[in-house]
C-alpha cells in the first residue's frame, strides 16, 4: 500500500467509541444494529451500491426478483432486532405463515405437498408414498429433540470457546452424544427411518440448505428439517428483500452510517489489535471491527495473512446456478416453492463432488408473484429457477450454463406440458462466477465451508480469535454457518463478545 497517499478520515465525535463493519450482508447489518444498540458509532462499508449481499433484488421488464434466499424460517430472529431497539417489528415489515412449505414433483409422476401442519404432511406422505404417518411424526419428533439438545451449544453460542464447553447445555450434549448421530450420515439416518425412496429424497434434500451432501454430512444435520416442519415456514409479505430494507431502516434510525460503493482494501494490525482499515483514499480508525466478508478473501486480501490451516482443510459448500425468468403465462399447478426431483439423487451429488453438473439435476422453482402482488405484470409469473452446482474451480461455466438451461427446459416441458422457453420474456443468469464477483464469496460457495464431515462444526471459523482482540467475525462463512437464521445468530454471538461502548 502507498501509505503516503492515504488520508486519515475525519472523526466527528471523539467521545463515542467506534465500530467498523465490513460488508452489508444480512449478518453485517444485524451486527451493526446490535453494536449501535450497545452504544457504538457504527460505520458499515459495502463494496456494492446496495445492501443485502446474497439477499438482494433486481427489477427488469415489469418483474421483481429476489436474487438469493427464498425460504424464511425462524423469523423471530429478525424480529428480535427490532424489539431489542424498542421498536415494533410489524411497523417495519410483515410476514405470513405458509400453509405448505414446498410442492415436490418426482420423476415417476408423484406429487407431494409438504403441508406445514405435521399431521397433514404425514398423512400426505402415507397417501402418496405409502410411508406410514407414524414414521414421519417419529422422525420429526427426533429432529425437534436434536434441535432442543444442540441449538444453544451449536447455534447460539461462541462454540469454540473453552468456557462454552463447560456449560450445562454442553454437558447435556456430551451426555446424549449418541443422539447426535454424528457417526452416521444424514442419508443413513433417514434410510433407517423411512422405507420409501421418495420420502428419503425429500428429507435428504435438507442437506442442501447449507450446501452439503446428504451421503456425507453427519446425521446431526437432520436438525434442519425441524425448522420448516416443526416450527413453520414463512414468507415476507413484500418479498425477501423487504427484510433487508426493514433492517437497514432500523440500522439508520440507530445511527448506523452505510458507506456504499466503498470496498475495504486492507485491514491494518498493530500488535494484538486492529488499528484501522483503508477504503477508497481514506484510512479509518475504530475501536472494534466486525468482518461480514467471506473468511478466505478476508485473510488473503484484507489481512494479507494465510487462512488458518484447520479452516482451509474444509470442503467448500456447493454453489448455485440460477435463471431468473419473467414468464409470460401463469401456472396454477405450481406453488410459491416447487421442487422437481432428479431420478438419481446420489449421482447428482457425485457430479457436484467431481466439479460437474448432472444432466438430470433437481430443479427448484420459486415464484414470489404467487404471493406478492406487483412482482410480475398481469398474467405473468417471476420464476427463480435454481439448481445446485459445485463451487467455481475454473470450469467452463458458459458450457455448463447452456447445457443446464436445455436440461431444465426439457424437464419443465415434461412436467408442465408447456414450452417454457418460448414464454421467457426476461432472462438473467447468475452462476458461481457471478456470486463470487457480486458478494466476494470464495469460489462462489453459498455457505462458506460445507458440513460434509463430522468435524465440520469444529472446523468453522470462530466469531473471534485470540490473535486480534478487537476483531470479530460474522456471516455465513463463520460459526454457526450460512442461511439467514444462522447469520442472524452469528450477529447475536458477536454482540455478546464485543464489550459495551
Ligand atoms: C441463490 C441463493 C439462495 C439461497 N437460499 C437461501 C434460503 O432460501 N434461505 C436461507 O436462509 N439462506 C439462503 N441462502 C444463503 C443466504 O443468502 C446467506 O447465507 C446469507 O445471506 C449470507 O449473508 P452474510 O451476512 O454472510 O453476507 P453476504 O450476503 O455474503 O454479503 C457479504 C457482503 O459483504 C460485502 N463485502 C465483502 N467484502 C467486502 C469488502 N472488503 N469491502 C466492502 N464490502 C465487502 C459483499 O459485497 C457483500 O455485500 C441463499 C444464498 C444464495 C446465493
Amino acid at each position: 500500500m502507498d501509505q503516503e497517499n492515504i488520508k486519515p478520515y475525519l472523526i466527528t465525535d471523539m467521545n463515542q467509541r467506534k465500530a467498523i463493519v465490513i460488508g452489508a450482508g444480512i449478518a453485517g447489518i444485524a451486527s451493526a444494529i446490535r453494536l449501535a444498540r450497545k452504544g457504538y458509532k457504527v460505520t458499515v462499508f459495502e463494496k456494492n451500491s446496495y445492501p443485502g449481499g446474497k439477499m438482494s433484488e433486481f427489477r427488469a421488464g415489469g418483474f421483481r426478483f429476489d436474487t438469493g434466499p427464498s425460504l424464511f424460517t425462524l423469523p423471530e430472529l429478525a424480529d428480535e432486532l427490532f424489539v431489542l431497539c424498542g421498536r415494533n417489528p410489524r411497523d417495519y415489515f410483515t410476514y405470513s405463515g405458509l400453509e405448505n412449505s414446498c410442492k415436490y414433483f418426482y420423476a415417476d409422476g408423484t406429487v407431494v405437498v409438504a403441508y406445514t401442519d405435521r399431521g397433514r404432511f404425514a398423512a400426505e406422505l402415507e397417501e402418496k408414498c405409502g410411508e406410514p404417518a407414524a414414521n414421519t411424526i417419529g422422525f420429526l419428533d427426533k429432529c425437534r429433540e436434536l434441535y432442543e439438545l444442540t441449538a444453544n451449544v451449536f447455534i447460539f453460542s461462541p462454540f469454540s470457546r473453552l468456557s462454552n464447553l463447560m456449560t450445562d447445555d454442553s454437558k447435556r450434549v456430551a451426555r446424549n452424544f449418541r443422539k447426535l448421530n454424528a457417526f452416521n450420515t444424514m442419508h443413513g439416518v433417514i434410510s433407517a427411518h423411512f422405507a420409501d425412496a421418495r420420502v428419503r429424497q425429500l428429507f435428504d434434500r435438507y442437506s442442501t440448505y447449507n450446501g452439503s451432501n446428504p451421503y456425507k454430512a453427519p446425521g446431526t444435520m437432520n436438525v434442519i428439517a425441524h425448522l420448516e416442519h416443526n416450527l413453520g415456514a414463512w414468507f415476507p409479505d413484500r418479498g425477501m428483500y423487504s427484510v433487508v430494507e426493514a433492517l437497514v431502516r432500523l440500522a439508520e434510525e440507530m445511527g448506523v452510517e452505510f458507506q456504499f460503493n466503498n470496498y475495504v482494501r486492507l485491514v491494518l494490525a498493530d500488535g494484538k489489535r486492529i488499528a484501522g482499515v483503508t477504503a477508497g483514499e481514506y484510512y479509518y480508525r475504530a475501536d472494534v471491527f466486525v468482518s461480514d466478508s467471506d473468511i478466505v478473501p478476508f485473510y488473503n486480501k484484507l489481512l494479507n495473512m494465510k487462512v488458518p490451516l484447520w479452516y482451509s482443510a474444509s470442503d467448500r459448500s456447493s454453489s448455485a446456478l440460477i435463471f431468473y425468468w419473467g414468464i409470460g403465462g401463469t401456472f396454477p399447478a405450481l406453488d410459491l416453492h416447487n421442487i422437481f426431483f432428479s431420478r438419481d439423487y446420489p449421482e447428482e451429488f457425485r457430479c457436484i463432488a467431481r466439479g460437474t453438473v448432472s444432466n438430470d439435476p433437481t430443479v427448484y422453482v420459486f415464484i414470489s408473484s404467487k404471493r406478492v402482488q406487483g412482482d410480475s405484470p398481469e398474467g405473468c409469473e417471476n420464476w427463480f429457477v435454481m439448481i445446485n452446482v459445485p463451487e467455481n474451480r475454473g470450469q467452463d461455466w458458459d458450457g455448463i450454463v447452456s447445457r443446464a438451461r436445455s436440461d431444465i427446459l426439457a424437464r419443465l416441458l415434461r412436467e408442465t406440458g408447456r414450452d417454457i422457453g418460448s414464454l421467457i420474456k426476461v432472462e438473467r443468469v447468475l452462476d458461481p462466477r457471478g456470486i463470487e464477483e457480486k458478494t466476494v464469496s470464495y469460489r462462489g460457495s453459498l455457505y462458506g465451508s460445507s458440513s460434509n464431515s463430522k468435524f465440520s462444526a469444529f472446523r468453522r471459523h470462530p466469531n473471534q480469535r485470540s490473535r486480534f482482540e478487537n476483531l470479530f467475525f460474522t456471516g455465513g462463512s463463520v460459526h454457526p454457518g450460512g442461511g439467514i437464521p444462522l447469520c442472524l445468530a452469528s450477529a447475536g454471538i458477536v454482540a455478546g463478545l464485543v464489550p459495551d461502548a
Side-chain angles (χ1 to χ4, degrees):
M1 178 186 60
D2 182 357
Q3 298 269 10
E4 306 255 304
N5 291 329
I6 297 291
K7 305 169 200 153
Y9 188 72
L10 189 62
I11 298 170
T12 47
D13 180 354
M14 297 299 286
N15 296 322
Q16 200 177 3
R17 280 167 68 81
K18 311 216 161 29
I20 283 177
V21 176
I22 302 167
I26 184 102
I29 303 168
S31 301
I33 292 168
R34 286 182 179 273
L35 295 199
R37 173 75 182 76
K38 282 183 95 119
Y40 285 90
K41 172 71 194 142
V42 186
T43 306
V44 181
F45 290 87
E46 169 53 56
K47 85 161 179 66
N48 292 325
S49 57
Y50 53 85
K54 297 186 180 74
M55 193 172 176
S56 64
E57 69 168 7
F58 73 89
R59 291 166 199 271
F63 295 88
R64 190 197 71 87
F65 294 91
D66 285 310
T67 57
S70 51
L71 191 76
F72 193 40
T73 50
L74 287 182
E76 59 270 29
L77 296 182
D79 284 351
E80 186 184 308
L81 293 163
F82 296 88
V83 176
L84 183 73
C85 300
R87 314 298 210 265
N88 178 355
R90 297 295 74 78
D91 293 339
Y92 293 75
F93 79 112
T94 55
Y95 54 84
S96 310
L98 299 179
E99 198 186 328
N100 39 294
S101 61
C102 193
K103 199 163 178 184
Y104 292 96
F105 299 82
Y106 291 85
D108 69 357
T110 310
V111 177
V112 166
V113 178
Y115 296 105
T116 46
D117 178 293
R118 286 170 16 131
R120 230 174 136 196
F121 176 46
E124 171 83 353
L125 289 180
E126 183 163 315
E127 185 195 326
K128 302 286 179 59
C129 307
E131 188 72 50
N135 288 358
T136 304
I137 296 294
F139 181 75
L140 293 179
D141 283 346
K142 285 237 153 52
C143 297
R144 180 198 302 282
E145 197 187 358
L146 203 49
Y147 182 82
E148 288 171 356
L149 180 63
T150 57
N152 280 345
V153 176
F154 288 100
I155 302 180
F156 296 110
S157 3
F159 184 54
S160 64
R161 296 219 150 176
L162 205 58
S163 56
N164 190 47
L165 300 178
M166 304 302 168
T167 62
D168 288 347
D169 287 327
S170 299
K171 288 179 193 160
R172 204 157 57 91
V173 169
R175 277 198 307 277
N176 292 282
F177 189 75
R178 252 168 28 93
K179 289 188 178 165
L180 302 188
N181 287 315
F183 292 101
N184 199 347
T185 62
M186 275 183 88
H187 180 73
V189 174
I190 289 166
S191 300
H193 224 96
F194 298 107
D196 186 83
R198 290 159 296 187
V199 180
R200 290 175 177 175
Q201 193 172 15
L202 191 155
F203 285 108
D204 279 347
R205 177 185 162 248
Y206 286 98
S207 65
T208 65
Y209 280 31
N210 68 6
S212 303
N213 175 334
Y215 309 97
K216 288 186 175 174
T220 323
M221 288 295 142
N222 282 317
V223 71
I224 299 171
H226 167 69
L227 303 187
E228 207 168 303
H229 289 287
N230 289 325
L231 299 180
W234 313 83
F235 196 72
D237 297 332
R238 289 187 297 111
M240 295 301 288
Y241 197 62
S242 66
V243 181
V244 170
E245 290 173 323
L247 290 177
V248 168
R249 190 179 135 207
L250 173 65
E252 285 177 338
E253 286 173 11
M254 294 298 290
V256 173
E257 181 201 358
F258 286 88
Q259 294 213 8
F260 294 111
N261 298 307
N262 212 356
Y263 177 72
V264 170
R265 282 185 291 124
L266 284 174
V267 171
L268 300 169
D270 182 6
K272 276 188 70 100
R273 290 182 69 78
I274 299 298
V277 303
T278 62
E281 51 183 337
Y282 290 104
Y283 173 66
Y284 300 78
R285 286 183 178 283
D287 303 284
V288 160
F289 298 82
V290 178
S291 166
D292 181 34
S293 159
D294 186 298
I295 205 75
V296 178
F298 182 81
Y299 275 94
N300 289 345
K301 296 202 173 132
L302 272 54
L303 265 181
N304 220 345
M305 282 171 69
K306 282 212 162 78
V307 181
L309 194 62
W310 89 90
Y311 177 80
S312 52
S314 306
D315 282 358
R316 299 303 295 172
S317 63
S318 55
S319 187
L321 167 58
I322 307 125
F323 296 93
Y324 305 94
W325 286 336
I327 298 285
T330 56
F331 290 75
L334 298 188
D335 222 318
L336 177 70
H337 303 291
N338 310 274
I339 287 282
F340 298 91
F341 268 130
S342 63
R343 207 172 272 282
D344 187 350
Y345 218 31
E347 173 59 9
E348 227 183 307
F349 288 95
R350 278 194 293 270
C351 286
I352 290 177
R354 287 199 300 268
T356 59
V357 177
S358 144
N359 57 13
D360 172 28
T362 292
V363 182
Y364 169 57
V365 180
F366 157 58
I367 311 172
S368 73
S369 62
K370 293 276 184 197
R371 288 182 78 93
V372 186
Q373 245 197 348
D375 271 5
S376 65
E378 193 62 34
C380 298
E381 290 180 348
N382 63 342
W383 286 24
F384 165 112
V385 179
M386 181 178 110
I387 60 171
N388 296 311
V389 301
E391 80 278 16
N392 181 19
R393 303 177 199 168
Q395 299 94 322
D396 167 21
W397 284 108
D398 292 338
I400 292 175
V401 169
S402 144
R403 274 194 306 280
R405 188 179 188 278
S406 315
D407 293 336
I408 292 169
L409 286 172
R411 175 72 194 268
L412 293 173
L413 171 65
R414 286 199 300 280
E415 294 287 347
T416 63
R418 289 164 76 178
D419 174 13
I420 302 299
S422 67
L423 298 175
I424 298 173
K425 293 163 133 292
V426 162
E427 177 166 26
R428 300 277 188 282
V429 184
L430 185 64
D431 65 33
R433 295 170 302 186
I435 294 171
E436 182 164 19
E437 195 267 311
K438 275 180 195 291
T439 66
V440 199
S441 300
Y442 181 58
R443 296 187 168 184
S445 285
L446 300 193
Y447 306 94
S449 55
S450 75
S451 296
N452 285 342
S453 133
K454 48 185 163 297
F455 302 112
S456 309
F458 302 90
R459 284 210 189 123
R460 275 210 170 258
H461 194 285
N463 305 101
Q464 186 184 21
R465 285 182 70 203
S466 51
R467 177 77 179 78
F468 298 113
E469 57 197 27
N470 61 341
L471 173 62
F472 302 86
F473 301 91
T474 192
S477 70
V478 302
H479 174 73
I484 301 166
L486 298 200
C487 285
L488 292 174
S490 80
I493 296 170
V494 162
L497 296 171
V498 171
D500 285 340

